[in-house]
Amino acid sequence: MTNDTTHLTGLHTSVMPSEVLTYLDAARGGTFIDCTLGLGGHSELILDAAPDNHVIAFDRDAEAIALAEQRLARFGERFRAIHDDYRSLKEHLVGHHSDGNGVAGILADLGVSSWQLDTPERGFSFRPNTSSLAPSSQSHSTFPLDMRMDRSGGQTAAHFVNTLGERELADLIFEYGEERASRRIARRIVQERAKAPIETTAQLADLVIRAINQKGYWRIHPATRTFQALRIAVNRELDGFPQFVADAVDLLAENGTLVVLTFHSLEDRLIKQAFRFQAGQCVCPASQPFCSCGTQPRVELLTRKSLAPSDAETAANPRSRSAKLRACRKRPTSPEE
């Protein structure tokens, strides 16, 4: 494997880099956790921000870790990667909490990396890297319908497509993809798989097009929401956000910050709720006459509303356009606590 990693910068552009560094306050120095390493763009920015910065990074994708480790080799022992789901961070880093020091900042960029999207054999995408395609110009790949971030185990998207019942498929596509045509798509999937298994991105994308029967120019490809829904289900992307945020706050030092980047409304809603709970805001139903959630103010919200990328950034990096950033700071413990 070559040590020349200059090509990696072109494969993935880190989203909202200045905002991330500002809210992490990375220039102050310390140990930071990058929950979603990818190709190491954000980790590199953090390590460059101060000479005594250290980064401990997580990623489920062993291939991405191998590439990032090449990119960040110049930092030596200041960088360490862990091949695991970021939601397991507390069990790996409990020492940082128990010794009373904590970590200076934690970042979670919940987006799929451009490298994964643009590696067709990973099965995340179904079209060339272009934002607007008409039916006459569409060219699908014929790669396996995989979508696993960790290819060492777990069920592929093809397994979901070929084994779930019609109603389960429709509910999955509607809930995770917010696709209004979910029932038509699920019905067509079941009809087609009765003839032969659906095994490639091309097969799935084409049958979604036929199911929706959308004519004319496509601003967003008709299969986009279906692919998003399957990817979320395959990788359990929406599982455990409240516990992750609670664990992250546990690991932070006093005045340490947690920064989360989300890329669709489902993620952002769950992160917003988890942040508000940690800030001491009741999350009980409005109809309930008393509070039973037991929330305590552990953090200060640094972003009352989510932040979006600048117009200049979205023009330069179109894939950043759906990003939303939220940040909070751990409150110092009062003497009576």
Side-chain angles (χ1 to χ4, degrees):
M1 191 176 281
T2 177
N3 289 324
D4 180 10
T5 60
T6 55
H7 64 294
L8 297 183
T9 302
L11 288 175
H12 179 68
T13 302
S14 298
V15 173
M16 301 182 74
S18 61
E19 292 90 342
V20 165
L21 292 179
T22 296
Y23 279 100
L24 285 177
D25 196 8
R28 62 184 157 143
T31 297
F32 294 84
I33 300 172
D34 185 348
C35 293
T36 45
L37 173 63
L39 295 183
H42 282 123
S43 283
E44 185 173 43
L45 291 169
I46 294 167
L47 289 164
D48 276 330
D52 58 345
N53 279 355
H54 289 71
V55 169
I56 302 168
F58 289 79
D59 207 291
R60 287 189 280 180
D61 192 332
E63 298 164 61
I65 287 177
L67 290 168
E69 285 180 330
Q70 293 181 71
R71 177 179 188 168
L72 304 175
R74 63 187 174 95
F75 297 104
E77 295 183 355
R78 292 171 56 200
F79 172 76
R80 176 163 68 98
I82 297 172
H83 180 212
D84 202 351
D85 190 305
Y86 68 89
R87 286 163 286 204
S88 301
L89 83 169
K90 196 171 182 181
E91 62 189 67
H92 288 281
L93 304 174
V94 67
H96 284 278
H97 171 58
S98 61
D99 64 10
N101 293 325
V103 297
I106 299 176
L107 168 68
D109 175 351
L110 302 180
V112 181
S113 77
S114 295
W115 173 72
Q116 288 172 325
L117 290 172
D118 293 338
T119 304
E121 60 267 29
R122 301 299 298 268
F124 285 101
S125 189
F126 47 81
R127 56 184 172 83
N129 183 17
T130 181
S131 58
S132 300
L133 297 171
S136 61
S137 65
Q138 180 64 33
S139 176
H140 300 312
S141 71
T142 56
F143 289 93
L145 193 58
D146 193 322
M147 299 194 192
R148 291 172 300 167
M149 291 181 182
D150 181 356
R151 290 203 284 181
S152 66
Q155 302 292 355
T156 66
H159 172 83
F160 282 76
V161 165
N162 289 292
T163 61
L164 291 182
E166 181 178 329
R167 182 171 181 176
E168 290 177 287
L169 271 171
D171 289 346
L172 184 154
I173 295 168
F174 180 77
E175 181 180 357
Y176 293 157
E178 300 178 296
E179 171 59 73
R180 289 179 293 180
S182 61
R183 298 201 180 282
R184 277 187 284 158
I185 294 168
R187 189 179 309 119
R188 179 60 68 99
I189 287 173
V190 171
Q191 291 170 349
E192 293 296 324
R193 78 188 190 193
K195 304 172 187 175
I198 300 166
E199 297 177 336
T200 69
T201 56
Q203 287 175 282
L204 180 60
D206 287 340
L207 72 84
V208 171
I209 292 171
R210 296 199 301 273
I212 293 179
N213 194 27
Q214 180 178 331
K215 305 296 185 182
Y217 185 81
W218 301 337
R219 187 178 65 85
I220 298 175
H221 190 286
T224 298
R225 293 185 179 91
T226 299
F227 271 66
Q228 172 186 296
L230 286 167
R231 192 201 77 223
I232 290 172
V234 166
N235 297 292
R236 301 177 297 106
E237 293 180 32
L238 301 182
D239 291 359
F241 279 174
Q243 188 60 53
F244 158 67
V245 172
D247 288 347
V249 173
D250 283 346
L251 289 168
L252 286 172
E254 292 185 354
N255 296 312
T257 55
L258 170 62
V259 178
V260 180
L261 288 164
T262 61
F263 288 82
H264 56 76
S265 59
L266 298 174
E267 286 178 339
D268 182 59
R269 188 179 309 128
L270 291 169
I271 291 297
K272 177 176 69 174
Q273 292 170 350
F275 271 35
R276 287 182 173 178
F277 181 80
Q278 292 298 320
Q281 298 181 22
C282 177
V283 295
C284 295
S287 59
Q288 185 170 304
F290 58 90
C291 175
S292 61
C293 65
T295 182
Q296 296 292 326
R298 304 176 67 207
V299 303
E300 171 196 358
L301 298 180
L302 301 178
T303 51
R304 293 292 171 180
K305 294 183 178 180
S306 62
L307 303 182
S310 66
D311 291 342
E313 179 173 357
T314 56
N317 179 20
R319 281 180 174 166
S320 71
R321 65 185 179 274
S322 58
K324 293 183 178 181
L325 182 149
R326 293 186 185 272
C328 62
R329 178 188 294 120
K330 186 170 183 177
R331 295 176 52 177
T333 304
S334 61
E336 57 270 21
E337 294 177 303

